[in-house]
Amino acid sequence: MDLLTQGLLGASLAQSGTRQNETRLATGVGFFAGLLADADILIQSVNDPLLTVEFHRHFTHSIFFVPFGSLIAALILWPFLRKRLFFSRLYLFCFLGYSLSGVLDALTSYGTHLFWPVSEERVALNIVSVIDPIFTLILLIAVIFAYRKKAIMVAKIGLIIAAFYLVLGWVQLQRAEAAAADLVASRGHVAEQLMVKPTLANLILWRSIYETEGKFYVDAIRVSPFSQSRIYPGESIKKFTIDQFLNQLPEESTLAKDIARFTIFSAGFVAIQPDHPDLLIDVRYSNLPTTIAPLWGIEMNLQNPDQHAVYRLFRDTSKETRQKFLAYLTGESVDE
């Protein structure tokens, strides 16, 4: 999730495992340790634009890296806190703060390499968005109250409420998946793979993507806790396969390897943007849940296969896009 939420979760976990007189120290230590897993964003290369994409939420988020990440956090903080805490207590707070960083990211739609090096699979359970203000607010209130009042029990209650919110996300996911399966059947399709994921900052509006007969179909599904599901039909696009470039791209070229890396990152949900034949997009993400307009993709130069692909972001914060998103979210009718 976002950095603030990661830090708040770390702070709350550390508060829950402290003594009353250590609450405020534990808060800061846990917050710092909760952030440290995302230090992998610093893995970058000017010559390889995909390196950051490939390694963000990678080994530092693995459950097997937790003891080492906690130790790194403790060693960084030790010179500043050695007169106020025993190293064993400092390590405990760092361990608690770091422990669920990877798990939290695995609950999102972006996912993480939770079991590296045992498995290279990117775990994305699609229970909650990468930014969810309600989840963040629950942790923020609990952490602040526990810090000010030195009330360990409040931190524990905040974690319990946050856990219930994630359970609600799981329930909403089941409802959205059921609605998506009904939609697939109503079209007479057989889904070879189906993904349903929450849109930004809510558990009501979901994006459904399924593959059938070499095409991806994208739709929006609104699942309010108090009403029937509503479908907003979306767009479709032809699935990309490397065979499309079979006669143009040497198999061992830099560009061919970049395409393979991006395909793995995108879980196979890749397509060529129709109005941009040199742009390979990740179909899972868009600014609107009904469109194939990408949130990111890679730009390829087939004339120079030994050159790396260029990673591109396409954020659309226009008034029209925001209004249409809110219309989907509130269940209004939308003219496409």
Side-chain angles (χ1 to χ4, degrees), residues 1-12 27-28 30-42 56-57 60-61 97-98 100-101 104-105 108 129-132 135-136 139-140 143:
M1 295 190 83
D2 61 279
L3 284 175
L4 174 60
T5 310
Q6 290 280 18
L8 289 172
L9 178 63
S12 188
T27 303
F31 190 90
F32 174 79
L35 298 179
L36 194 62
D38 278 325
D40 58 10
I41 194 66
L42 300 176
H56 182 40
R57 296 185 180 172
T60 58
H61 290 71
Y98 196 103
L100 293 186
S101 292
L104 181 60
D105 280 332
T108 70
S129 173
V130 291
I131 298 176
D132 192 304
F135 184 78
T136 303
L139 293 174
L140 179 63
V143 167

Side-chain angles (χ1 to χ4, degrees), residues 48-82:
D48 184 358
L50 282 182
L51 191 67
T52 300
V53 176
E54 204 168 39
F55 276 95
H56 182 40
R57 296 185 180 172
H58 200 284
F59 67 93
T60 58
H61 290 71
S62 169
I63 59 172
F64 300 111
F65 192 78
V66 170
F68 306 103
S70 307
L71 179 60
I72 292 170
L75 291 173
I76 292 172
L77 293 175
W78 178 239
F80 306 98
L81 298 176
R82 59 192 178 87

